[in-house]
Amino acid sequence: MSEIIVQVDNLSKSFGCLEVIRDVSFTVGRGEVLGIIGPSGSGKSTMLRCITQLETVSGGSISICGKQMVKDGTYTDKKSLHQIGLQVGLVFQNFNLFPHFSVLRNITEAQIHVLGRSKIQAQERARELLFKMGLSEKESAYPCELSGGQQQRVSIARALALDPQVLFFDEPTSALDPELTGEILKVIRELAQEHMTMVVVTHEMAFARDLSDRIIFMDDGLIVEQGRATDVINNPQQERTRAFLSRFQA
Protein backbone atom coordinates (compact mmCIF):
# COMPACT_ATOMS: atom_id res chain seq x y z
CA MET A 1 0.00 0.00 0.00
CA SER A 2 1.43 3.39 -0.98
CA GLU A 3 1.78 6.24 1.48
CA ILE A 4 -1.60 7.77 2.34
CA ILE A 5 -1.74 11.42 1.23
CA VAL A 6 -5.42 12.12 1.99
CA GLN A 7 -7.47 10.37 4.66
CA VAL A 8 -11.11 11.27 5.23
CA ASP A 9 -13.09 9.58 8.02
CA ASN A 10 -16.82 9.95 8.69
CA LEU A 11 -16.94 13.41 7.12
CA SER A 12 -20.20 15.33 7.41
CA LYS A 13 -21.22 18.82 6.37
CA SER A 14 -24.51 20.63 6.90
CA PHE A 15 -25.77 24.03 5.85
CA GLY A 16 -28.39 24.72 8.51
CA CYS A 17 -30.83 21.82 8.39
CA LEU A 18 -29.55 20.62 5.01
CA GLU A 19 -27.06 17.76 5.32
CA VAL A 20 -24.98 17.77 2.14
CA ILE A 21 -22.26 15.26 3.12
CA ARG A 22 -23.09 12.26 5.27
CA ASP A 23 -20.50 9.98 6.88
CA VAL A 24 -18.05 9.93 3.95
CA SER A 25 -14.76 8.01 4.30
CA PHE A 26 -11.99 7.33 1.79
CA THR A 27 -8.22 7.52 1.29
CA VAL A 28 -5.93 8.62 -1.56
CA GLY A 29 -2.46 7.09 -1.86
CA ARG A 30 0.64 8.83 -3.20
CA GLY A 31 0.60 8.91 -7.00
CA GLU A 32 -3.00 7.75 -7.16
CA VAL A 33 -5.73 9.40 -9.24
CA LEU A 34 -9.14 9.26 -7.60
CA GLY A 35 -12.13 10.15 -9.78
CA ILE A 36 -15.33 11.39 -8.15
CA ILE A 37 -18.55 11.20 -10.13
CA GLY A 38 -22.21 11.72 -9.35
CA PRO A 39 -25.19 13.91 -10.15
CA SER A 40 -25.20 17.66 -9.53
CA GLY A 41 -25.97 18.44 -5.90
CA SER A 42 -24.56 15.14 -4.61
CA GLY A 43 -21.92 16.84 -2.43
CA LYS A 44 -18.84 16.33 -4.61
CA SER A 45 -17.70 19.96 -4.80
CA THR A 46 -18.59 20.65 -1.15
CA MET A 47 -16.43 17.71 -0.13
CA LEU A 48 -13.47 19.14 -2.06
CA ARG A 49 -14.06 22.54 -0.45
CA CYS A 50 -14.00 20.93 3.01
CA ILE A 51 -10.71 19.13 2.32
CA THR A 52 -9.11 22.31 0.93
CA GLN A 53 -10.30 24.43 3.90
CA LEU A 54 -12.72 26.55 1.88
CA GLU A 55 -15.59 25.17 3.98
CA THR A 56 -15.58 24.08 7.62
CA VAL A 57 -16.74 20.54 8.33
CA SER A 58 -19.63 19.72 10.64
CA GLY A 59 -18.10 16.45 11.80
CA GLY A 60 -15.49 13.81 11.03
CA SER A 61 -11.74 13.82 10.51
CA ILE A 62 -9.34 14.78 7.70
CA SER A 63 -5.59 14.16 7.50
CA ILE A 64 -3.27 15.42 4.75
CA CYS A 65 0.21 13.90 4.38
CA GLY A 66 -0.15 12.31 7.82
CA LYS A 67 -0.98 15.60 9.55
CA GLN A 68 -4.35 15.89 11.27
CA MET A 69 -6.27 18.86 9.89
CA VAL A 70 -9.52 18.19 11.73
CA LYS A 71 -10.36 15.40 14.19
CA ASP A 72 -13.96 14.60 15.15
CA GLY A 73 -15.02 18.02 13.90
CA THR A 74 -12.34 19.96 15.83
CA TYR A 75 -9.64 21.76 13.85
CA THR A 76 -5.96 21.90 14.70
CA ASP A 77 -4.24 25.24 15.36
CA LYS A 78 -4.00 28.02 12.74
CA LYS A 79 -0.28 27.60 12.07
CA SER A 80 -0.71 23.87 11.39
CA LEU A 81 -3.73 24.54 9.18
CA HIS A 82 -1.62 26.94 7.10
CA GLN A 83 1.16 24.34 6.73
CA ILE A 84 -1.35 21.65 5.76
CA GLY A 85 -2.97 24.02 3.26
CA LEU A 86 0.35 24.37 1.43
CA GLN A 87 0.27 20.63 0.64
CA VAL A 88 -2.98 21.00 -1.28
CA GLY A 89 -3.76 22.61 -4.65
CA LEU A 90 -7.22 23.27 -6.05
CA VAL A 91 -8.19 23.98 -9.66
CA PHE A 92 -11.63 25.57 -9.89
CA GLN A 93 -14.18 25.09 -12.67
CA ASN A 94 -14.30 28.84 -13.40
CA PHE A 95 -10.52 29.52 -13.46
CA ASN A 96 -10.51 32.20 -10.67
CA LEU A 97 -7.59 34.10 -12.21
CA PHE A 98 -6.90 37.70 -11.21
CA PRO A 99 -8.17 39.68 -14.24
CA HIS A 100 -5.87 42.67 -13.62
CA PHE A 101 -2.70 40.52 -13.40
CA SER A 102 -0.75 39.21 -16.37
CA VAL A 103 -0.46 35.44 -16.82
CA LEU A 104 3.05 35.52 -15.37
CA ARG A 105 1.98 37.52 -12.33
CA ASN A 106 -1.01 35.23 -11.73
CA ILE A 107 1.47 32.36 -11.32
CA THR A 108 4.19 34.22 -9.37
CA GLU A 109 2.09 36.16 -6.83
CA ALA A 110 1.37 33.32 -4.40
CA GLN A 111 4.89 31.91 -4.76
CA ILE A 112 6.28 35.25 -3.54
CA HIS A 113 3.75 36.00 -0.80
CA VAL A 114 2.95 32.47 0.43
CA LEU A 115 6.19 30.53 -0.14
CA GLY A 116 8.56 33.49 0.23
CA ARG A 117 10.35 32.90 -3.07
CA SER A 118 12.20 35.75 -4.70
CA LYS A 119 10.66 37.34 -7.77
CA ILE A 120 13.35 35.78 -9.96
CA GLN A 121 12.79 32.29 -8.49
CA ALA A 122 9.02 32.64 -8.84
CA GLN A 123 9.27 33.77 -12.46
CA GLU A 124 11.66 30.93 -13.28
CA ARG A 125 9.19 28.38 -11.85
CA ALA A 126 6.26 30.09 -13.61
CA ARG A 127 8.03 29.99 -16.97
CA GLU A 128 8.84 26.28 -16.50
CA LEU A 129 5.16 25.59 -15.94
CA LEU A 130 3.99 27.82 -18.80
CA PHE A 131 6.31 25.88 -21.11
CA LYS A 132 4.84 22.62 -19.78
CA MET A 133 1.33 23.96 -20.47
CA GLY A 134 2.25 25.11 -24.00
CA LEU A 135 1.71 28.77 -23.05
CA SER A 136 5.21 30.26 -23.04
CA GLU A 137 4.21 32.98 -25.50
CA LYS A 138 1.29 34.09 -23.30
CA GLU A 139 3.16 35.21 -20.17
CA SER A 140 2.45 38.91 -20.79
CA ALA A 141 -1.19 38.39 -21.77
CA TYR A 142 -4.14 39.08 -19.46
CA PRO A 143 -6.87 36.50 -18.73
CA CYS A 144 -9.41 38.31 -20.93
CA GLU A 145 -7.09 37.77 -23.91
CA LEU A 146 -7.04 33.98 -23.46
CA SER A 147 -9.45 31.24 -24.47
CA GLY A 148 -11.20 29.32 -21.70
CA GLY A 149 -8.86 26.38 -22.22
CA GLN A 150 -5.82 28.63 -21.96
CA GLN A 151 -7.17 30.24 -18.79
CA GLN A 152 -7.71 26.81 -17.24
CA ARG A 153 -4.15 25.77 -18.14
CA VAL A 154 -2.87 28.93 -16.42
CA SER A 155 -4.91 28.05 -13.32
CA ILE A 156 -3.40 24.54 -13.31
CA ALA A 157 0.08 26.08 -13.61
CA ARG A 158 -0.73 28.44 -10.72
CA ALA A 159 -1.76 25.50 -8.52
CA LEU A 160 1.34 23.49 -9.44
CA ALA A 161 3.63 26.48 -8.76
CA LEU A 162 3.13 26.03 -5.01
CA ASP A 163 4.42 22.42 -5.25
CA PRO A 164 1.41 20.74 -3.62
CA GLN A 165 1.47 17.06 -2.62
CA VAL A 166 -2.06 16.57 -3.94
CA LEU A 167 -4.04 18.43 -6.59
CA PHE A 168 -7.83 18.67 -6.54
CA PHE A 169 -9.83 19.44 -9.67
CA ASP A 170 -13.44 20.62 -9.32
CA GLU A 171 -15.06 19.83 -12.67
CA PRO A 172 -12.14 21.43 -14.57
CA THR A 173 -13.85 21.23 -17.98
CA SER A 174 -17.42 22.19 -17.07
CA ALA A 175 -17.00 25.85 -18.11
CA LEU A 176 -15.43 24.91 -21.45
CA ASP A 177 -16.98 24.07 -24.79
CA PRO A 178 -16.23 20.56 -26.11
CA GLU A 179 -13.39 21.68 -28.41
CA LEU A 180 -11.44 23.11 -25.46
CA THR A 181 -12.17 20.24 -23.09
CA GLY A 182 -9.65 17.96 -24.81
CA GLU A 183 -6.67 20.21 -24.11
CA ILE A 184 -7.39 20.22 -20.36
CA LEU A 185 -7.91 16.46 -20.23
CA LYS A 186 -4.53 16.08 -22.01
CA VAL A 187 -2.78 18.17 -19.34
CA ILE A 188 -4.36 16.12 -16.52
CA ARG A 189 -3.38 12.87 -18.28
CA GLU A 190 0.23 14.08 -18.50
CA LEU A 191 0.22 14.89 -14.76
CA ALA A 192 -1.11 11.38 -14.05
CA GLN A 193 1.76 9.91 -16.09
CA GLU A 194 4.13 11.89 -13.85
CA HIS A 195 2.45 10.24 -10.82
CA MET A 196 0.94 13.43 -9.45
CA THR A 197 -1.54 12.59 -6.69
CA MET A 198 -4.91 13.90 -7.87
CA VAL A 199 -8.58 13.93 -6.97
CA VAL A 200 -10.76 14.82 -9.97
CA VAL A 201 -14.46 15.65 -9.76
CA THR A 202 -15.75 15.29 -13.31
CA HIS A 203 -18.81 14.73 -15.49
CA GLU A 204 -16.60 13.24 -18.23
CA MET A 205 -17.26 9.53 -17.68
CA ALA A 206 -14.86 8.14 -20.30
CA PHE A 207 -12.13 10.39 -18.95
CA ALA A 208 -12.86 9.32 -15.36
CA ARG A 209 -12.68 5.66 -16.36
CA ASP A 210 -9.49 5.97 -18.44
CA LEU A 211 -7.57 8.32 -16.11
CA SER A 212 -8.53 7.22 -12.59
CA ASP A 213 -7.10 4.38 -10.58
CA ARG A 214 -10.26 4.32 -8.46
CA ILE A 215 -13.66 5.97 -8.70
CA ILE A 216 -16.12 7.10 -6.05
CA PHE A 217 -19.77 7.51 -7.04
CA MET A 218 -21.63 9.94 -4.78
CA ASP A 219 -25.34 10.63 -4.49
CA ASP A 220 -27.28 12.61 -1.91
CA GLY A 221 -24.15 13.25 0.17
CA LEU A 222 -23.21 9.57 0.44
CA ILE A 223 -20.64 7.34 -1.21
CA VAL A 224 -22.88 4.84 -2.99
CA GLU A 225 -20.11 2.84 -4.64
CA GLN A 226 -16.35 2.90 -4.97
CA GLY A 227 -13.78 0.65 -6.59
CA ARG A 228 -11.44 0.27 -9.52
CA ALA A 229 -12.32 2.76 -12.23
CA THR A 230 -13.10 0.23 -14.95
CA ASP A 231 -15.21 -1.86 -12.55
CA VAL A 232 -17.35 1.07 -11.38
CA ILE A 233 -17.91 2.51 -14.86
CA ASN A 234 -18.24 -0.71 -16.86
CA ASN A 235 -19.79 -3.01 -14.27
CA PRO A 236 -21.45 -1.03 -11.44
CA GLN A 237 -22.80 -3.11 -8.58
CA GLN A 238 -25.36 -0.68 -7.14
CA GLU A 239 -28.69 0.06 -8.82
CA ARG A 240 -28.28 3.82 -8.25
CA THR A 241 -24.87 3.76 -9.97
CA ARG A 242 -26.29 1.79 -12.88
CA ALA A 243 -29.12 4.31 -13.27
CA PHE A 244 -26.69 7.24 -13.25
CA LEU A 245 -24.39 5.63 -15.82
CA SER A 246 -27.18 4.33 -18.05
CA ARG A 247 -26.84 7.28 -20.45
CA PHE A 248 -23.08 6.90 -20.68
CA GLN A 249 -21.80 5.16 -23.80
CA ALA A 250 -18.30 3.72 -23.53
Side-chain angles (χ1 to χ4, degrees), residues 78-202:
K78 269 190 177 176
K79 184 179 178 184
S80 298
L81 286 176
H82 176 71
Q83 293 300 319
I84 291 167
L86 293 177
Q87 307 303 312
V88 169
L90 176 60
V91 177
F92 299 89
Q93 50 188 299
N94 293 316
F95 323 136
N96 281 30
L97 298 173
F98 294 112
H100 55 297
F101 286 177
S102 68
V103 163
L104 189 68
R105 191 173 172 193
N106 261 286
I107 302 172
T108 58
E109 197 75 0
Q111 293 186 69
I112 294 166
H113 295 292
V114 177
L115 296 185
R117 287 178 181 158
S118 71
K119 187 174 180 181
I120 291 171
Q121 288 174 317
Q123 288 182 341
E124 188 176 306
R125 178 67 173 139
R127 288 185 173 118
E128 280 175 17
L129 290 164
L130 285 172
F131 178 77
K132 185 187 182 82
M133 297 294 152
L135 293 171
S136 293
E137 76 288 357
K138 298 293 186 182
E139 70 169 60
S140 299
Y142 286 82
C144 65
E145 300 172 307
L146 306 178
S147 70
Q150 289 170 334
Q151 289 186 61
Q152 190 61 294
R153 279 184 278 159
V154 172
S155 68
I156 293 170
R158 180 180 60 183
L160 289 169
L162 297 181
D163 302 324
Q165 294 296 307
V166 56
L167 201 51
F168 292 87
F169 292 86
D170 186 9
E171 298 181 17
T173 60
S174 68
L176 303 177
D177 59 46
E179 277 193 353
L180 298 176
T181 293
E183 65 189 64
I184 301 307
L185 301 186
K186 179 174 179 282
V187 167
I188 298 173
R189 277 198 184 91
E190 287 168 355
L191 291 172
Q193 287 164 5
E194 295 167 10
H195 306 292
M196 181 77 199
T197 308
M198 294 186 284
V199 178
V200 184
V201 169
T202 183

